[in-house]
């Protein structure tokens, strides 16, 4: 069974930075497409950024130029570097993995950006 454990969330002032990490186990990490999603109170969960098993990256418009997704297959970990954070980035951030045997989610990590 795939397990995903996020870390790195917290409280930061607007304009600040955070780096989220997601450690995977129970899978062949290099074969997984990985993604970061977020869900703000009262809103649907939405894709933030994704990186394929081959390293191709995709960002939604509202984070382009501010967030960077990366992966370290040797550490079975995917990262989300978040810069120039805005109050509207406040949400629970979830890690997601997809491979031929299914999709898994982490438990989420809270990111709060104060104005």
């Amino acid at each position: 069974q795939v397990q995903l454990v996020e870390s790195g969330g917290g409280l930061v002032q607007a304009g600040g930075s955070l780096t989220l990490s997601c450690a995977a186990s129970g899978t062949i990490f290099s074969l997984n497409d990985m993604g970061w999603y977020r869900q703000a109170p009262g809103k649907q969960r939405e894709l933030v950024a994704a990186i394929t098993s081959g390293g191709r990256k995709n960002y939604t418009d509202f984070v382009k130029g501010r967030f960077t997704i990366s992966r370290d297959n040797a550490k079975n970990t995917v990262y989300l570097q978040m810069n120039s954070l805005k109050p509207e980035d406040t949400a629970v951030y979830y890690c997601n993995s997809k491979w031929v045997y299914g999709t898994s989610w982490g438990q989420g990590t809270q990111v709060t950006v104060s104005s």
Side-chain angles (χ1 to χ4, degrees):
Q1 184 174 352
V2 179
Q3 289 190 324
L4 303 173
V5 180
E6 300 101 333
S7 61
L11 174 64
V12 64
Q13 289 189 332
S17 299
L18 283 175
T19 299
L20 306 183
S21 301
C22 171
S25 61
T27 184
I28 303 174
F29 181 75
S30 61
L31 298 183
N32 281 261
D33 295 336
M34 302 298 297
W36 285 98
Y37 290 72
R38 70 186 187 188
Q39 187 167 19
K43 295 188 177 181
Q44 290 189 331
R45 191 173 298 188
E46 59 185 0
L47 175 67
V48 175
I51 183 168
T52 68
S53 59
R56 182 173 299 178
K57 302 176 184 181
N58 180 49
Y59 300 94
T60 52
D61 287 345
F62 53 78
V63 303
K64 282 182 179 178
R66 300 190 297 126
F67 292 9
T68 302
I69 190 170
S70 61
R71 66 190 296 159
D72 186 337
N73 289 341
K75 295 183 178 180
N76 290 356
T77 300
V78 62
Y79 304 95
L80 185 68
Q81 173 69 44
M82 305 186 293
N83 298 325
S84 302
L85 283 161
K86 304 174 181 180
E88 51 263 44
D89 293 319
T90 295
V92 178
Y93 284 71
Y94 295 91
C95 179
N96 171 271
S97 70
K98 298 178 184 178
W99 71 324
V100 64
Y101 296 108
T103 298
S104 299
W105 293 91
Q107 82 288 350
T109 187
Q110 176 70 45
V111 172
T112 302
V113 184
S114 63
S115 57

